[in-house]
Structures are given as structure tokens and as C-alpha cells.
């Protein structure tokens, strides 16, 4: 089974990056694309994000071997319903959503009997929209596939090869485990960043202008994540509710313990934790998941 | 009043950066330096961080117009006591500590009647030690001076000029207000980052290897801050306890409200907050406090 025609539904950061990566790394693959927003379609045409920008999702998928749904996880159900009739019998339907159990349910329901293999490339930036994409977004990043138990092995292999072709490293995982892992490595960090940026901008004793002025003390790091797409993230929290609440509980327990240590002047507890966390950073860098340069390689 | 001889006590990231910045931007100023760790002194000699590396703090400050204490805030008292006898009568004593009320108290007590003007350049990286410094660390960053009410205006002006000469923008502030502002823009972000990295590495259902592997989903940003110097940060929390606990209270209230919104499926509350926080990022960039490039300008 070879993937020769790819349809991309949703041409934001992820969809446009897939289009550009295919253009650069697999020019033999024909691409079609659709976005519900006509301005995005016009921009996609202008930037050449896909071979053919279509006027309907049905038109985009009509001859596809692989359809990749690149819409917020709360919109998966509707996007799948819109392609159901036109979808070729043997086409693989996949996605790039950040929660996988909810997406698996939505796609299975909208596309009964079809070959659905949900996926999640763990890659992105804080930007969004068709102009935010770039061809190397997936290089060296992990793409997690969460196939249902009865998934066609050939289709799974083809999808795996597809992502490897875009430069990603591929891992197969149970959807439930994915949702727990990503709650920790992505969803809770985002929730915390959104919260602290909100807290800081609502204070009375400290002005917003002061918060921005002195943000280089650490706060500015959080503003990057907190600038991520609001709709995408609203949907992630609503669709991975259980795992997010579970992990949030762990985090607040740990934060309360540190609060107690600060209140009681327990320097040893603080020092022990701060020494342990330093080692994690080294491992992230050693495993190629971040810049080795100080300060993310920011120019100074 | 002109500063012609500067003594740097403590040759870690901040001390070494001051030394290198002076060498590059103000070669007419003579520099001496001391560090309690003999290995750091040897490294400072090798790298030429200061004109003369001294074998005691007293020797380093003996002819100084300005002494900058670049040690953890919990070590300020001891560092000040060690220079008290050798300090010239008219010398200004300053520092680079992240909490200012506690430092003001420590220095006033150890150096009664002397010209003490505490300061805090809001700049740094997650690295530490004499090899981590670089000459441009302070360029475009704010340096906050927190002079006591009876500070000599000439000395204040000289210190202000000193920091401007290193490329910093200078602001004068009350020490209490400083501690509140920095609790928000620096101390709480660090505390949160240390906590989440600790939480993530202690889970049973998700392995540490998975946390690292999929850290590009957001978590990796927090590992940078959580790699900061453990002693420095232990001291910050112990010495700015009140403001940190106050701001932590606000943060956990807001986090609890978001938790409730997730639990009850209140997408509107989530979307509203996430839209507001996006605007803060733009202001941070507009005011030159972070990279305008996506993802901190990380290479992709």
C-alpha cells in the first residue's frame, strides 16, 4: 500500500506545515486541501501550501489515499461527517489532534467501517494560521499513532512511513496512555502558562506594564505558550478532561508541599527538588528535544 | 563622582558577565574579583573575567569605588561582613540579588553608615558558574535600583550610569514594590516550573523517559527554567517569602477556577482567558523583552 494522494482538511499551522513538508520532501505525492475559512483558502492558494485548494471537503478527499484532519479536536466530528460520503473506500483517515481517545470516538462514529488511525505529531509553535507553517516543523519530533485494535497493519505501516517521510520519529501507543502522557508533557504546562499569564495581568498592586517590562526574569517564557491558539486549546481541555484533572491534582499537591516548605523556611526540601529538576533538562537536551544553547538560543 | 575601580565578589553567571561586559564596553575601568571557590578563581584567571583575581574579599575591595556582591541572596550578609574592614570610606556597595528587602537589611546591618544601594539586573540564563557569563547579558534588559531613602544622589547617579554603561535600562523602585513585582515576573514562574518538572518526573503511570521524549509539547520550556541554580533559587524563596506566598495564593485561586471550568465543560471561560493571554505575548515582544521569532527562535 502506497500513499500517493493526500488530502489535508484544515490549513492552519499543522495543515500548512504538512503541505509544505510534502512539497519539499515528497514532491511525487499529490496534495489537495480545504479550509472552512475562505480567507485561509485564498492564502493557501497564494502560498502553494497544497497542489489543489478545493472549495469543499468532499472535493478535496474524492481521490485521496490518506486524509489528514488538521482541525481543533472539538471540530473533528463535523469535519469527518463532511467527508464521509466522498471518501474513497480504501482511504486512510488520520488527524493531528492533541487528544486521542475523544478523536478516536468521534471519527469511529462519523466514519463507521472506515480505516481510521488517529495520530498526534508532538510539534508546533505558538503561532497559528496558514502563514505559520514551515516544512521542517516535524523533523526530529515524535509522531504518536494510536491505531484501534483492529487497524489494518498495512495502513498502519503506510501512515508510519508517511510521518517518517516528513522527518518525524514514529511511536505507536494506546490512545488512553497517549492522553495521560500528553496531559503531563503538554496540556498541564499549557494550562499553567495560561493561568499565570492571566493572574499576572489581573493584579492591582503590580501593573501590567511592569509585568511586561520585567518579564525577562522568567515570566516571558510562559507568555510564549500562553499565546497559543485559544480554540485549539479550549478543545484540548474539554476533550482530555479526565487526564488533565488527574494530572492537575498531582501538580497542585506538589505545589502545596513547596508552599509549606517556603512558609516554614525548609530550605533543604527546596534545594533537593531544584537539584533534581536540573538533571531533567540535561536529558531533554541529550535526547534532541531542545536546543543545547542557553536560553533556548535566544540572541543576546 | 566617577567609578574607576570595580570589585566583583562572586564570579558566577552574573559576576563573570559584569566582568566581561566591563572589559568589552568600559576598558578604562579597573576590575578586581574574588570567589570563595578556588576552582572558580582559577577559571576566572584563565578566562580573564577581571583584571586581578584576588585571594580574599578584603584584597579585592581595598581600592574599589564600587563593590558588586554577586552571591546568592542568603550569602549577602556573610559577603558584606567579609569586606567591611577593608572597604574604602566612599565606596558604593551594591549587589545583583533577586530579592531586595532582605538584601537591604543584610547589607545595612553588616555595613552600618556605608553607602549601600541594592540593585537587581533582570537578566540571566539557566546556566551558572564562571564559564556561563557573557558580555552582552545586560543589553536591553532592565536593572532595578532600590536605594534607601537617605541614599547619596551622586552615588545613585554613578551606579545608574554604571549599569547603563553595560547596556541595561535603569529603573529606580522601592524595595518592597520590587519584591512584589519580581515575585510575579520571576519567582512564581520559577516555582511553578520547578514543581511541574518535579511532578512529571515522579509519576508512576507515565515514565520519565516518556516525559522527556514528548517534552516538545510544551514541557521542555519549563525544564529550562527548572535547570536554574538550586542554591540561588532556594535563597530567593526563603528571602522573599511573603510576596511569593501572596502571589502563589492568587495563582492557585485562578488555577482552581480553571479547574472548575474544565470539570464543568465551560468552554467560554477557557476561551476568554486564552484569548486575553495571547495579547500579553505581543506586548512582551513589542517592548523588546523577547524574540519576535516563533518558538523563541529555536532552530527547526
Amino acid at each position: 500500500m502506497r500513499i500517493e494522494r493526500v488530502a489535508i482538511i484544515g490549513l492552519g499551522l499543522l495543515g500548512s506545515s504538512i503541505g509544505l513538508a510534502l512539497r519539499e520532501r515528497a514532491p511525487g505525492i499529490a496534495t489537495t486541501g480545504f479550509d472552512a475559512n475562505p480567507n485561509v483558502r485564498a492564502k493557501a492558494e497564494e502560498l502553494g501550501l497544497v497542489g489543489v485548494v478545493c472549495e469543499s471537503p468532499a472535493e478535496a478527499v474524492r481521490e485521496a489515499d490518506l486524509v489528514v484532519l488538521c482541525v481543533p479536536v472539538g471540530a473533528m466530528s463535523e469535519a469527518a461527517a463532511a467527508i464521509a460520503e466522498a471518501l474513497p473506500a480504501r482511504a486512510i483517515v488520520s488527524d493531528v489532534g492533541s487528544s486521542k481517545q475523544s478523536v478516536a470516538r468521534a471519527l469511529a462514529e462519523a466514519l463507521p467501517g472506515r480505516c481510521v488511525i488517529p495520530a498526534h505529531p508532538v510539534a508546533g509553535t505558538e503561532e497559528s494560521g496558514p502563514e505559520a507553517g514551515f516544512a521542517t516543523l516535524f523533523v526530529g519530533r515524535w509522531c504518536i499513532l494510536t491505531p484501534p485494535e483492529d487497524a489494518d497493519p498495512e495502513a498502519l505501516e503506510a501512515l508510519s512511513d508517511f510521518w517518517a517521510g516528513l522527518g518525524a520519529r514514529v511511536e505507536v501507543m494506546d490512545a488512553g496512555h497517549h492522553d495521560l502522557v500528553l496531559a503531563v508533557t503538554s496540556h498541564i504546562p499549557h494550562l499553567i502558562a495560561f493561568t499565570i499569564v492571566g493572574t499576572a495581568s489581573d493584579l492591582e498592586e503590580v501593573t501590567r506594564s511592569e509585568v511586561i517590562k520585567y518579564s525577562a526574569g522568567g515570566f516571558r517564557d510562559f507568555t510564549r505558550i500562553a499565546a497559543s491558539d485559544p480554540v485549539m486549546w479550549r478543545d484540548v481541555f474539554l476533550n482530555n478532561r479526565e487526564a488533565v484533572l488527574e494530572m492537575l491534582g498531582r501538580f497542585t499537591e506538589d505545589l502545596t508541599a513547596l508552599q509549606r516548605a517556603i512558609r516554614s523556611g525548609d530550605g533543604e526540601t527546596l534545594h533537593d527538588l531544584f537539584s533534581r529538576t536540573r538533571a531533567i533538562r540535561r536529558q531533554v537536551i541529550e535526547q534532541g528535544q531542545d536546543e543545547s544553547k542557553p536560553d533556548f538560543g535566544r540572541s543576546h
Side-chain angles (χ1 to χ4, degrees), chain A residues 77-279:
Chain A
S77 192
E78 198 184 334
I83 61 166
E85 270 194 39
L87 191 69
R90 288 188 46 109
I92 304 167
V93 177
S94 189
D95 75 306
V96 296
S98 301
S99 67
K100 297 268 63 78
Q101 289 178 106
S102 73
V103 169
R105 276 193 302 268
L107 299 189
E109 209 177 288
L111 302 166
R114 299 311 190 90
C115 176
V116 171
I117 305 181
H120 178 204
V122 185
T125 75
E126 69 277 26
E127 309 231 307
S128 45
E131 292 167 290
F134 51 97
T136 53
L137 178 61
F138 308 109
V139 176
R141 298 282 77 81
W142 288 93
C143 183
I144 302 172
L145 310 185
T146 60
E149 280 188 21
D150 60 351
D152 172 14
E154 270 190 52
L156 181 60
E157 197 186 333
L159 187 62
S160 180
D161 289 348
F162 171 81
W163 278 106
L166 302 188
R169 306 194 246 176
V170 178
E171 189 69 76
V172 173
M173 203 183 278
D174 167 73
H177 190 61
H178 166 279
D179 287 357
L180 208 55
V181 171
L182 270 289
V184 183
T185 64
S186 179
H187 308 170
I188 293 295
H190 276 77
L191 189 68
I192 291 171
F194 283 124
T195 306
I196 180 71
V197 174
T199 304
S201 62
D202 288 345
L203 295 170
E204 280 167 9
E205 308 90 320
V206 178
T207 66
R208 191 178 300 189
S209 135
E210 286 176 319
V211 166
I212 289 160
K213 212 162 151 183
Y214 307 114
S215 61
F219 181 75
R220 63 175 176 175
D221 280 25
F222 291 64
T223 64
R224 186 188 79 78
I225 281 191
S228 301
D229 189 65
V231 172
M232 172 192 158
W233 282 99
R234 176 200 64 195
D235 283 6
V236 168
F237 295 117
L238 297 180
N239 284 280
N240 195 23
R241 197 179 306 196
E242 216 170 301
V244 165
L245 291 175
E246 164 68 20
M247 290 302 161
L248 189 53
R250 311 287 185 97
F251 168 75
T252 52
E253 277 171 30
D254 291 347
L255 191 60
T256 303
L258 278 194
Q259 185 172 17
R260 193 183 313 120
I262 293 172
R263 199 182 294 281
S264 67
D266 174 6
E268 203 180 321
T269 293
L270 300 175
H271 188 266
D272 284 355
L273 172 66
F274 303 169
S275 305
R276 281 202 297 128
T277 54
R278 198 168 214 187

Side-chain angles (χ1 to χ4, degrees), chain A residues 44-90:
Chain A
E45 187 81 54
E46 183 192 324
L47 298 172
L49 299 180
V50 287
V52 182
V53 178
C54 302
E55 287 300 305
S56 76
E59 189 190 335
V61 306
R62 207 173 296 282
E63 300 190 336
D65 309 314
L66 168 65
V67 179
V68 189
L69 302 175
C70 303
V71 300
V73 291
M76 287 291 174
S77 192
E78 198 184 334
I83 61 166
E85 270 194 39
L87 191 69
R90 288 188 46 109

